[in-house]
Amino acid sequence: FGTLEYTSIVKDQSIKMLEDEQIWSIVEIDGWMLFKSLQRIYLYNLESKSIKIINAEHKINMLAKVDDVIYFQEDRKGLFKIENGVPKLVSDDSIIKNNFIVDIFKKDNVLLFLTQKNGFFNLDGNKLIKWKTSSDKLFVGKIVYSVKQLKDKSFAIGTISNGLIYLNENG
């Protein structure tokens, strides 16, 4: 009837959120909704209405879904994937530990990461290797805020105060 109905999962499930906690990302996978704050990831089962909580020691920078796998980056610890509601370390490479990962993609069957200040990297085993392109100079001195991979596999990259960068799928 054109009327929206709001239900608070926090109230319904008596979840004790942290003081001033805010949700920054929401992702759906296999009947679960994942809500990312800076300190936690809440996993909410849509059918059973059960809740699981992943607590972080440090700030959770990013949450991404790639090929039905959920990844997240915890500051100073590394990249994790969530398997059966439990975080599993994927890589603790120094590039991941010391750079803010904006988003993750799949390119040529490997994970491709875009960092906030240092461009793109590929994951080889558990090590990151710079994805060298003719566009690398575009990232110098810029801070990336957001990125979307378009249907044609190109990238639309939003920067802070430096406009939009458009890259084809080859960079």
Side-chain angles (χ1 to χ4, degrees):
F1 299 101
T3 317
L4 297 177
E5 192 174 308
Y6 172 79
T7 303
S8 173
I9 296 169
V10 172
K11 277 186 185 175
D12 283 357
Q13 300 299 314
S14 301
I15 299 168
K16 299 228 185 280
M17 294 187 73
L18 302 173
E19 186 176 334
D20 199 32
E21 187 173 19
Q22 300 173 21
I23 300 301
W24 290 93
S25 299
I26 301 171
V27 176
E28 184 276 329
I29 185 166
D30 297 333
W32 290 84
M33 295 300 297
L34 283 70
F35 302 89
K36 181 198 86 69
S37 73
L38 297 178
Q39 300 88 5
R40 293 176 166 174
I41 299 172
Y42 297 89
L43 297 89
Y44 177 70
N45 186 292
L46 295 169
E47 188 175 311
S48 70
K49 300 190 184 323
S50 63
I51 293 275
K52 293 181 182 181
I53 300 173
I54 296 173
N55 290 293
E57 263 182 76
H58 305 286
K59 184 173 121 183
I60 299 173
N61 293 331
M62 172 277 310
L63 179 73
K65 178 179 170 182
V66 180
D67 286 348
D68 291 327
V69 177
I70 301 293
Y71 296 94
F72 70 92
Q73 179 196 23
E74 185 175 342
D75 214 20
R76 300 186 300 229
K77 286 187 82 176
L79 178 74
F80 296 82
K81 66 180 174 179
I82 300 175
E83 285 184 356
N84 299 317
V86 178
K88 303 272 186 189
L89 183 68
V90 173
S91 177
D92 60 356
D93 185 283
S94 63
I95 292 168
I96 291 177
K97 288 167 72 171
N98 299 316
N99 285 275
F100 186 101
I101 303 295
V102 177
D103 211 341
I104 306 172
F105 308 94
K106 196 88 170 246
K107 180 170 177 23
D108 301 328
N109 230 14
V110 296
L111 293 178
L112 177 68
F113 298 78
L114 178 58
T115 64
Q116 192 173 54
K117 296 181 180 176
N118 294 303
F120 285 96
F121 291 85
N122 287 304
L123 185 64
D124 184 10
N126 70 346
K127 297 285 181 201
L128 262 67
I129 298 169
K130 181 78 174 148
W131 181 37
K132 295 183 181 181
T133 69
S134 60
S135 302
D136 287 343
K137 62 188 173 292
L138 290 174
F139 293 99
V140 176
K142 293 180 178 68
I143 299 173
V144 174
Y145 184 76
S146 62
V147 59
K148 291 292 178 196
Q149 189 169 31
L150 307 177
K151 287 180 183 178
D152 67 357
K153 303 293 183 197
S154 62
F155 298 94
I157 302 164
T159 67
I160 296 176
S161 300
N162 289 104
L164 178 77
I165 298 172
Y166 173 79
L167 297 180
N168 68 20
E169 69 177 303
N170 299 315

